Amino acid sequence: MALTRPVPPWMAECELTHVAREPIDIPRAMAQHEAYEEALRSLGVEVRRLAAAPGLPDSVFIEDTAVVLPEVAVLMQPGAASRRPEIVAVEAALLPMRRVARIIWPGTMDGGDVLVVPQMRTIFVGLSTRTNAEGAGQFRAIVEPLGYRMETVVMEGCLHLKSAATQIAGAEEKPLLLVNPRWLPAGALGGMARLEIHPEEPHGANAIGVGGVVLHGAEFTLTRHILHCHGIRVVPVVNDELAKAEGALTCCSLIFESSRAGG
Ligand code: CIR
């Protein structure tokens, strides 16, 4: 299942860290987000859209609000104070489906910094301008007792760990990451098989592997060619309007197995 949230009419007030502010065409962003939801549906994902969040300009980027594992949903403490109220509606949606744990201040953590590799019971956590060591430490205390190994990655040059690396191989296959090595410290994500983006497309490492295919930003044609050459089926999704708010594809949904823990 995927939880999503609408593009808010007030998105122009969004947080920006690494990109310059430019006008956002809101109707176009809304249409792109709807097409993204449709692409997920076409791959068999049940999309549940939460209500709009009045006054919260980044609320469409729901990935940052929680990390949903089969055993527990961990509510984040977004590094940007303006984003913390986004949690309330996400918590209400997750409560019927999972036990809930939370990252609490002074810990901060964005879901965009969390790369879960379920096949290896490994979770990589980016330490970034949004996720601090205290937040990562709290997260470790939640997930290690569940049998996950957690490893931190110090981020520089991009917003989140998942700006630089995402998993593209499906659940049944050997895990494979798509990475931008220039945004990762040497030796990071060791032991993981990886494909590198085309160097002219630094933002091309953010992709969603679902149902045996990869949703990938349509503008990243050079990286798409690399994926094709490796036999990977790609569904291109246009996301350039949301990218003006520094959002990529994973940011726009919270994807997880819908069955309850233990159920
Ligand atoms: C922010 O700066 O928080 C938003 N404008 C963009 C968040 C993107 N989220 C993500 O990469 N997971």
Side-chain angles (χ1 to χ4, degrees):
M1 118 171 322
L3 298 185
T4 63
R5 228 161 174 190
V7 170
W10 39 86
M11 192 164 77
E13 311 301 319
C14 66
E15 299 282 340
L16 290 177
T17 308
H18 295 280
V19 309
R21 198 168 294 276
E22 56 179 310
I24 298 175
D25 180 335
I26 298 292
R28 188 162 182 269
M30 288 174 168
Q32 288 183 357
H33 192 47
E34 275 164 27
Y36 166 88
E37 291 172 322
E38 203 40 54
L40 286 171
R41 275 190 207 100
S42 74
L43 297 171
V45 178
E46 177 195 340
V47 176
R48 189 185 299 175
R49 183 184 263 223
L50 305 190
L56 300 179
D58 282 305
S59 48
V60 65
F61 303 122
I62 191 170
E63 170 186 62
D64 291 320
T65 61
V67 173
V68 185
L69 301 170
E71 304 87 349
V72 63
V74 186
L75 296 169
M76 300 283 101
Q77 181 75 221
S82 70
R83 300 201 56 190
R84 294 187 191 137
E86 292 174 28
I87 305 298
V88 178
V90 178
E91 175 176 11
L94 290 173
L95 267 173
M97 295 185 273
R98 291 292 191 279
R99 172 173 81 81
V100 162
R102 62 194 76 234
I103 305 299
I104 54 172
W105 177 263
T108 65
M109 191 165 188
D110 280 12
D113 274 315
V114 182
L115 172 59
V116 182
V117 184
Q119 301 90 335
M120 301 180 69
R121 295 216 43 98
T122 295
I123 304 180
F124 297 100
V125 173
L127 298 176
S128 67
T129 57
R130 301 295 176 85
T131 298
N132 64 17
E134 167 67 25
Q138 290 179 22
F139 188 77
R140 184 189 295 279
I142 295 165
V143 299
E144 281 192 345
L146 300 171
Y148 291 94
R149 185 179 74 87
M150 192 192 107
E151 203 175 294
T152 54
V153 180
V154 177
M155 302 307 299
E156 254 178 59
C158 63
L159 186 59
H160 288 127
L161 172 59
K162 276 189 279 190
S163 315
T166 53
Q167 183 175 350
I168 55 173
E172 306 304 323
E173 303 154 48
K174 188 172 173 324
L176 177 65
L177 304 185
L178 181 61
V179 305
N180 175 350
R182 289 150 206 88
W183 283 345
L184 290 169
L189 314 175
M192 297 293 305
R194 56 169 72 191
L195 281 181
E196 293 190 4
I197 50 110
H198 192 285
E200 285 174 31
E201 296 175 342
H203 293 275
N206 187 276
I208 301 177
V210 62
V213 303
V214 171
L215 293 194
H216 191 234
E219 65 269 41
F220 305 121
T221 54
L222 301 170
T223 301
R224 182 156 76 242
H225 180 66
I226 294 171
L227 294 169
H228 281 157
C229 290
H230 285 81
I232 294 165
R233 222 184 104 210
V234 178
V235 175
V237 181
V238 180
N239 190 57
D240 56 350
E241 211 55 53
L242 286 147
K244 293 178 187 168
E246 214 168 348
L249 292 186
T250 61
C251 326
C252 295
S253 60
L254 203 49
I255 299 181
F256 53 91
E257 295 289 335
S258 54
S259 58
R260 285 163 187 261

